């Protein structure tokens, strides 16, 4: 083709339709306009290095950015720069731990206004379902949130209350009326209360305080609610493999339930967490090696749909100021910049190809939130692209990460896979702190429809 494109990326290796092959990608006005075996001509031509693979930008649908209100934990500028550095070109922001929480249209618009001035990648938003706003969820749905997050146990912040059994039923019935989606932090407060202990620096004691039963009981409740309401529901950050048989049976029954898990559950294990190492604390917790193996098998079998980071950062003080007491430290893993490398490192050890990893971390999440223009290299898709060096090895140093706070469960770990360049709609993303924002804000318009761009 002789007509020039705005951008041509020439790759000896590119992930196209699940296969690695040599192509030229032609981009016009931010959209992939051509995929060719022949050389294309463009205003700008970028030729990838021999050790680089061109992959679609990742889609991370579980990110806590915390702005406004707790911007000292993280913010749109730092989070989206870290995302781009990790090959993530689309994030969907959780409704907490920002203040105000995203539980009203006014709070949503406030958050959108803040994000618009700072986002380096594309950003969409979840709403929250809390006791106070049940009966009003349709207004946020119409305003463009991608669904509603609910906790079944205390969330850890006062402004975002959890739903009891009756309120969960009400929320599911409400979203079913407009084909909305309820995404659920599924831990049972009764089970947690019965297993509460004195805390301390011992990690196994922390895991005992949040046993598998907390997840299985709560997930059983969600399954029953989906069955009675006909709603769509999604299980967030599945930690316990013990819940898989019930989820498998529910899906075989035809119930509309999807499931995610996270890099920390797939790459870390309780046996390796030292006393007092509260950078590893998250809820639900990282469990043992046998559990980790069962989660990987569930991914391979299709019982878990995709992988997202659940990037949940805080200040170092909240993580470390209580002398290593797991009961008192803030729970959350900051992994947005490292998710791809962490999973790819473990996948290589298991002889799992890069195409499967990208299915779980790019195409799968994009499909889940109804963004067909994301997560794939195809004509008509957004030119959200990443030059990835899968064989390059590096050692994680928290001071090198772009997350706002130097806290990471991966600090000191050797990982494989380096993101060398990221393009958002055909424009190279500059991760410098003073770079002009390049991200757009996304509004949900319904499954199978392109999102609206602000």
């Amino acid at each position: 083709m002789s007509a020039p494109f705005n951008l041509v990326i020439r790759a000896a290796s590119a992930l196209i339709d699940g296969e690695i092959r040599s192509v030229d990608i032609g981009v016009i006005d931010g959209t992939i306009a051509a995929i060719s075996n022949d050389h294309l001509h463009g205003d700008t031509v970028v030729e990838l290095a021999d050790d680089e693979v061109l992959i679609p930008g990742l889609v991370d649908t579980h990110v806590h950015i915390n702005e406004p209100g707790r911007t000292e934990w993280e913010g749109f500028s730092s989070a989206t720069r870290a995302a781009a550095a990790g090959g993530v070109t689309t994030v969907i922001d959780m409704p907490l731990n920002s203040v105000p929480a995203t539980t009203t249209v006014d709070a949503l618009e406030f958050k959108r206004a803040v994000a618009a001035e700072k986002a380096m990648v594309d950003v969409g938003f979840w709403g929250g379902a809390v006791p106070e706003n049940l009966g009003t969820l349709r207004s946020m749905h119409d305003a463009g949130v991608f669904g509603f997050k609910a906790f079944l146990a205390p969330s850890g912040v006062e402004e975002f209350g959890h739903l009891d059994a009756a309120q969960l039923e009400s929320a599911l019935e409400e979203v079913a009326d407009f084909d909305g989606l309820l995404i659920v932090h599924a831990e049972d407060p009764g089970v947690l209360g019965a297993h509460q202990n004195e805390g301390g620096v011992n990690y196994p004691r922390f895991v005992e305080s949040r046993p598998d039963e907390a997840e299985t009981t709560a997930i059983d409740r969600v399954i029953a609610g989906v069955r009675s309401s006909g709603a769509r529901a999604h299980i967030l950050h599945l930690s316990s493999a013990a819940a898989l048989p019930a989820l498998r049976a529910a899906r075989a029954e035809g119930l509309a339930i999807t499931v995610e898990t996270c890099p920390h559950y797939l790459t870390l294990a309780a046996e390796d967490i030292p006393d007092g190492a509260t950078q590893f604390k998250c809820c639900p917790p990282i469990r043992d090696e046998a559990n980790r193996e069962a989660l990987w098998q569930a991914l391979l079998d299709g019982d878990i749909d995709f992988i997202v980071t659940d990037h949940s950062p805080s200040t170092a003080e909240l993580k470390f100021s209580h002398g290593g007491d797991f009961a008192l430290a803030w729970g959350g893993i900051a992994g947005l910049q490292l998710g791809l490398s962490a999973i790819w490192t473990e996948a290589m050890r298991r002889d799992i190809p890069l195409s499967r990893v990208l299915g779980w971390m790019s195409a799968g999440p994009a499909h889940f939130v109804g963004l067909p223009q994301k997560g794939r290299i195809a004509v008509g898709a957004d030119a959200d692209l990443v030059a990835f060096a899968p064989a390059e090895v590096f050692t994680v140093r928290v001071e090198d990460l772009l997350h706002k706070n130097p806290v990471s469960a991966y600090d000191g770990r050797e990982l494989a896979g380096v993101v060398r360049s990221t393009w958002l709609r055909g424009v190279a993303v500059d991760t410098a702190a003073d770079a002009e924002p390049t991200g757009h804000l996304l509004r949900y318009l319904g499954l199978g429809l392109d999102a609206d761009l602000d």
Side-chain angles (χ1 to χ4, degrees):
M1 297 178 66
S2 58
F5 296 88
N6 303 134
L7 170 70
V8 170
I9 299 179
R10 187 164 295 146
S13 300
L15 183 64
I16 310 291
D17 295 329
E19 297 182 354
I20 301 292
R21 59 188 181 93
S22 175
V23 294
D24 275 19
I25 305 293
V27 178
I28 297 176
D29 295 334
T31 299
I32 296 172
I35 299 174
S36 177
N37 295 324
D38 300 320
H39 280 191
L40 303 178
H41 303 283
D43 299 330
T44 300
V45 177
V46 176
E47 188 162 351
L48 298 196
D50 290 341
D51 66 337
E52 294 176 344
V53 180
L54 188 68
I55 63 173
L58 272 62
V59 177
D60 194 335
T61 60
H62 195 150
V63 179
H64 294 265
I65 294 178
N66 307 327
E67 188 175 13
R70 289 192 175 95
T71 312
E72 69 274 15
W73 296 15
E74 192 71 277
F76 284 101
S77 177
S78 56
T80 57
R81 287 188 296 116
V88 178
T89 51
T90 301
V91 301
I92 311 295
D93 171 68
M94 284 290 164
L96 75 164
N97 300 297
S98 56
V99 181
T102 315
T103 55
T104 66
V105 172
D106 287 346
L108 170 65
E109 295 307 325
F110 182 30
K111 181 179 279 192
R112 289 172 59 84
V114 173
E117 299 179 351
K118 301 180 180 182
M120 300 304 298
V121 301
D122 286 355
V123 180
F125 302 90
W126 297 108
V130 295
E132 296 79 11
N133 74 350
L134 296 183
T136 69
L137 300 181
R138 179 65 185 258
S139 62
M140 277 193 292
H141 173 81
D142 291 344
V145 300
F146 283 78
F148 301 90
K149 181 172 187 176
F151 276 77
L152 304 189
S155 70
V157 292
E158 293 182 0
E159 67 275 3
F160 201 96
H162 68 284
L163 304 184
D164 63 24
Q167 290 163 340
L168 171 63
E169 289 281 351
S170 295
L172 286 166
E173 291 170 0
E174 185 175 353
V175 298
D177 284 343
F178 53 83
D179 195 28
L181 173 67
L182 195 71
I183 63 174
V184 185
H185 180 126
E187 289 184 286
D188 183 81
V191 174
L192 295 178
H195 288 80
Q196 186 174 357
N197 59 36
E198 71 282 0
V201 301
N202 182 254
Y203 185 74
R205 288 292 287 154
F206 171 63
V207 177
E208 289 171 7
S209 74
R210 305 189 90 94
D212 297 272
E213 184 188 355
E215 284 187 83
T216 58
T217 301
I219 288 170
D220 285 345
R221 185 171 297 127
V222 175
I223 291 171
V226 169
R227 183 180 291 115
S228 63
S229 66
R232 294 187 294 125
H234 177 72
I235 303 301
L236 296 165
H237 46 50
L238 182 71
S239 155
S240 174
L244 288 167
L247 287 165
R248 190 180 301 116
R251 287 149 67 101
E253 184 184 334
L255 300 184
I257 298 178
T258 48
V259 189
E260 70 183 39
T261 193
C262 306
H264 40 280
Y265 300 131
L266 295 165
T267 63
L268 306 173
E271 292 90 338
D272 301 324
I273 297 177
D275 284 353
T278 49
Q279 66 268 33
F280 293 95
K281 179 184 176 179
C282 56
C283 301
I286 296 163
R287 304 189 188 276
D288 61 25
E289 291 180 4
N291 184 82
R292 182 181 64 189
E293 296 305 306
L295 293 178
W296 273 104
Q297 190 60 52
L299 275 165
L300 292 169
D301 292 343
D303 294 324
I304 296 175
D305 295 283
F306 54 83
I307 304 168
V308 286
T309 63
D310 187 12
H311 177 69
S312 186
S314 71
T315 63
E317 181 181 8
L318 284 170
K319 268 295 192 185
F320 299 127
S321 64
H322 297 289
D325 190 325
F326 282 96
L328 299 177
W330 177 259
I333 303 291
L336 183 57
Q337 187 172 338
L338 297 171
L340 174 58
S341 298
I343 290 296
W344 173 236
T345 302
E346 190 68 18
M348 280 200 304
R349 189 175 73 82
R350 298 165 182 274
D351 294 323
I352 297 172
L354 184 60
S355 59
R356 293 296 302 270
V357 170
L358 271 296
W360 293 325
M361 302 189 78
S362 192
H367 176 74
F368 167 63
V369 291
L371 294 175
Q373 78 276 28
K374 302 291 188 183
R376 60 198 181 104
I377 300 178
V379 172
D382 289 350
D384 297 350
L385 303 166
V386 173
F388 182 62
E392 184 175 349
V393 175
F394 68 103
T395 299
V396 178
R397 291 161 36 97
V398 289
E399 56 267 31
D400 295 337
L401 300 177
L402 299 182
H403 306 153
K404 180 165 285 189
N405 288 282
V407 179
S408 174
Y410 302 101
D411 189 29
R413 289 176 70 92
E414 186 176 87
L415 300 179
V418 172
V419 171
R420 293 189 179 155
S421 300
T422 299
W423 292 268
L424 182 70
R425 292 184 308 280
V427 177
V429 180
D430 184 349
T431 59
D434 59 353
E436 288 295 315
T438 51
H440 287 191
L441 305 187
L442 306 176
R443 294 178 186 263
Y444 177 72
L445 295 179
L447 288 174
L449 299 176
D450 287 1
D452 182 35
L453 292 174
D454 287 358

